[in-house]
Amino acid sequence: MATNTYATGSDIRMTSMVSAEINLLLRDTANLRNTGLIQYIGSINGLGTDSIKVRKIGLMGRDSFASRTEVQATADTSITDAAVTVTPSRFSLRYDISDLLNLTSTNARFEPDPFALAASMAGSYDKLFAELTGAAAAAATNVTVTSGTTMSVSTFFEGIYALERADSELGAPGPFYSVMHPKSLTELQASLRAEQNNIISQMVASEEMIAAKGLGYIGKLFNVDVYRSSHIDSDGTDYDNFMADAGALGYADGVPQILGAAETMEMDKISVELDRQGSTAITSVIGHCYLAVSILDQNRIVGLLAVD
């Protein structure tokens, strides 16, 4: 007597069924753009140039008075000045989607239809900002410890000391913040556990603090706000973690004004266009942006090297 089983009914059963929802893979879009810690220099839109020069001047207490005798002439004091030029670069991201992939999509969230892909590019812009921040900070000329050293409480303190004694003991004004690679952060946490001093403690970030300070915020250590970022640069030997104050880094941007595209959308600082290749039944979703992050003052930032 024959028995009807799952195997014998293979023509009326599917090998598998997709889930009703689409789960996102891990990503790291945490960045400092909206924290107030990185200075917004401006947009190059309508400037008549592709670069912005950030001017710096030594006034409001940079110079002091000199003692003179009763009739001694006063010598002229040269005003200290400097400038940093920031030039946003072009970045783009493109997804191609076929008609068949689009027409077979379900109602699940995160289906890769053209408009969902365009919206996704806002998150990709956040990732780019974090990557450029890490690359800019890696150019810090002041660094702590030597290459190949594990991150520790001592290294963290050295960063604080360097900022407090910056620019020939004038000191960066603070408050300070630090951005660390996850590996370096875990090494610092292990070092904290090994400390015997009860004064040393870490204030762990609460849900309210993360909401106020943004994704990636870990907490406060020695009155320094600590952020986590997987986009910290590495030279293959060390991660270029860093500590700085709010005047150290700045960014400039530009939003493309696209001409001639069949359809365009603006997603925050990104311009997205849809490009149709009818002969191959493919729609291209292309995002464009201009962005640059740069160190504005080397005296306000210090690299915290830690082994890769």
Side-chain angles (χ1 to χ4, degrees):
M1 181 177 178
T3 301
N4 294 306
T5 66
Y6 184 87
T8 62
S10 59
D11 288 334
I12 58 173
R13 291 292 182 269
M14 291 182 289
T15 303
S16 62
M17 173 66 76
V18 297
S19 62
E21 296 297 327
I22 299 177
N23 295 334
L24 288 176
L25 295 172
L26 289 176
R27 74 264 188 220
D28 183 5
T29 60
N31 66 89
L32 303 176
R33 180 161 63 112
N34 296 318
T35 62
L37 297 174
I38 298 185
Q39 180 183 342
Y40 180 50
I41 302 167
S43 170
I44 59 173
N45 284 60
L47 282 188
T49 178
D50 66 347
S51 302
I52 300 177
K53 178 179 286 188
V54 180
R55 300 174 295 171
K56 300 184 287 184
I57 192 166
L59 295 179
M60 306 305 292
R62 177 80 179 186
D63 301 311
S64 186
F65 287 83
S67 175
R68 308 290 180 191
T69 62
E70 182 179 0
V71 294
Q72 183 181 4
T74 301
D76 175 49
T77 299
S78 298
I79 298 174
T80 304
D81 65 343
V84 175
T85 300
V86 181
T87 305
S89 298
R90 174 179 172 253
F91 297 91
S92 60
L93 175 62
R94 169 178 163 176
Y95 293 112
D96 288 349
I97 181 170
S98 71
D99 287 354
L100 183 59
L101 178 61
N102 190 38
L103 69 88
T104 55
S105 64
T106 66
N107 293 324
R109 189 182 181 193
F110 305 125
E111 277 280 6
D113 64 75
F115 297 99
L117 292 175
S120 171
M121 289 181 178
S124 297
Y125 184 86
D126 288 337
K127 179 178 181 179
L128 171 65
F129 195 97
E131 291 171 340
L132 294 183
T133 301
T141 55
N142 302 313
V143 295
T144 63
V145 302
T146 56
S147 176
T149 303
T150 300
M151 176 60 69
S152 66
V153 172
S154 295
T155 301
F156 200 84
F157 267 123
E158 286 183 33
I160 296 174
Y161 299 156
L163 290 177
E164 290 180 337
R165 301 186 61 182
D167 201 2
S168 302
E169 312 298 330
L170 290 177
F176 303 148
Y177 68 94
S178 179
V179 183
M180 293 190 178
H181 188 274
K183 180 177 181 293
S184 301
L185 180 62
T186 58
E187 291 171 352
L188 177 60
Q189 290 167 336
S191 179
L192 281 167
R193 291 184 61 189
E195 287 289 334
Q196 302 299 316
N197 193 332
N198 290 331
I199 297 176
I200 296 178
S201 62
Q202 180 183 11
M203 184 173 69
V204 180
S206 64
E207 185 175 341
E208 292 76 14
M209 293 169 67
I210 294 175
K213 293 182 177 289
L215 292 175
Y217 183 68
I218 298 300
K220 193 180 289 285
L221 180 63
F222 312 128
N223 206 35
V224 177
D225 285 323
V226 180
Y227 290 82
R228 168 193 177 278
S229 175
S230 63
H231 305 299
I232 288 293
D233 260 24
S234 170
D235 61 2
T237 301
D238 299 290
Y239 286 117
D240 294 307
N241 310 289
F242 66 96
M243 186 182 296
D245 81 353
L249 296 167
Y251 74 97
D253 58 26
V255 180
Q257 307 299 304
I258 298 176
L259 300 175
E263 185 169 358
T264 63
M265 294 170 279
E266 286 195 9
M267 299 290 177
D268 193 10
K269 296 288 188 174
I270 314 159
S271 289
V272 181
E273 63 174 304
L274 300 183
D275 182 28
R276 177 68 179 172
Q277 296 95 51
S279 62
T280 54
I282 290 176
T283 300
S284 296
V285 184
I286 312 168
H288 307 273
C289 65
Y290 286 78
L291 181 63
V293 181
S294 179
I295 294 178
L296 302 183
D297 192 338
Q298 289 282 1
N299 291 313
R300 293 173 180 260
I301 185 170
V302 59
L304 306 178
L305 294 182
V307 64
D308 188 336

